[in-house]
Amino acid sequence: MGSLVGCGGGATHGSKAAEASAAQAERSEEAAEKKQEAAELTKDSELLAGIENKKREETAKEDAKKIEAAATAKAKKREQAATKKAKQKEEAAVKGIKQKEEAAAKSIKQKEQAAEAKIKQREEALSAQTGTSREAPKTGEHVETNPSSEMKGSAPPAARVQG
């Protein structure tokens, strides 16, 4: 009976070792799976980080393009405004010059008219004093003044027409 017990005891011990070995294998397999999952996770994280970096770079490039386009548009707008302002200044200067020229021409014309009026007034006054008109003699006529009467002062000078 004792041998029976010993045999039975050896079989139990073998099955415990097999169970322990199976459990060890299962734990090793689980550890390997965890290690593989961790490696995959790390790989996925790196891939995701790379994608995010690329996306950030693209976004930064797009933002830079937008900023550059806005700056270009702003510069173009400033240039157009400066061109418009310069054109307005030039037009105003030309207009001012034209107005000054017109005013000068008008002033000259007024002075000429005033001078002509003054000459006419003096001629009329002189004509009234002498009693003769200052019309030009007809062709072939000779106008002569009497110098002797002018010297005496008795009578105003008279014109004699000789034909």
Side-chain angles (χ1 to χ4, degrees):
M1 287 190 130
S3 64
L4 217 54
V5 172
C7 266
T12 317
H13 177 56
S15 103
K16 280 186 181 180
E19 283 180 24
S21 179
Q24 180 67 28
E26 193 176 318
R27 275 185 258 141
S28 284
E29 194 177 308
E30 285 177 8
E33 283 179 12
K34 284 183 182 180
K35 194 174 185 180
Q36 186 178 358
E37 284 178 12
E40 286 177 7
L41 250 146
T42 303
K43 186 178 178 182
D44 288 347
S45 293
E46 288 173 359
L47 186 62
L48 185 61
I51 291 170
E52 287 175 349
N53 285 338
K54 189 173 182 179
K55 191 172 183 178
R56 269 183 272 185
E57 285 178 18
E58 289 174 0
T59 303
K61 284 181 183 178
E62 288 174 9
D63 289 347
K65 284 181 183 179
K66 288 178 185 177
I67 291 169
E68 185 178 350
T72 302
K74 192 173 184 181
K76 187 175 181 181
K77 200 173 187 179
R78 283 183 189 160
E79 182 180 350
Q80 288 173 343
T83 302
K84 185 178 179 180
K85 190 174 183 179
K87 188 175 181 180
Q88 288 174 342
K89 281 185 176 182
E90 182 180 352
E91 288 173 354
V94 169
K95 186 178 179 181
I97 291 170
K98 284 182 180 179
Q99 287 175 344
K100 286 179 182 179
E101 287 174 350
E102 289 172 0
K106 188 176 180 181
S107 175
I108 290 170
K109 189 174 182 179
Q110 288 174 345
K111 287 178 182 178
E112 287 175 349
Q113 289 174 345
E116 288 174 6
K118 203 171 193 180
I119 290 171
K120 188 175 181 182
Q121 185 181 17
R122 286 183 182 171
E123 286 176 350
E124 289 173 357
L126 184 62
S127 172
Q129 285 178 352
T130 61
T132 61
S133 68
R134 289 191 45 127
E135 293 181 17
K138 293 182 182 173
T139 308
E141 293 181 350
H142 178 67
V143 176
E144 189 177 310
T145 59
N146 189 347
S148 60
S149 65
E150 287 180 18
M151 294 187 142
K152 293 178 186 175
S154 60
R160 258 188 318 169
V161 177
Q162 293 178 351

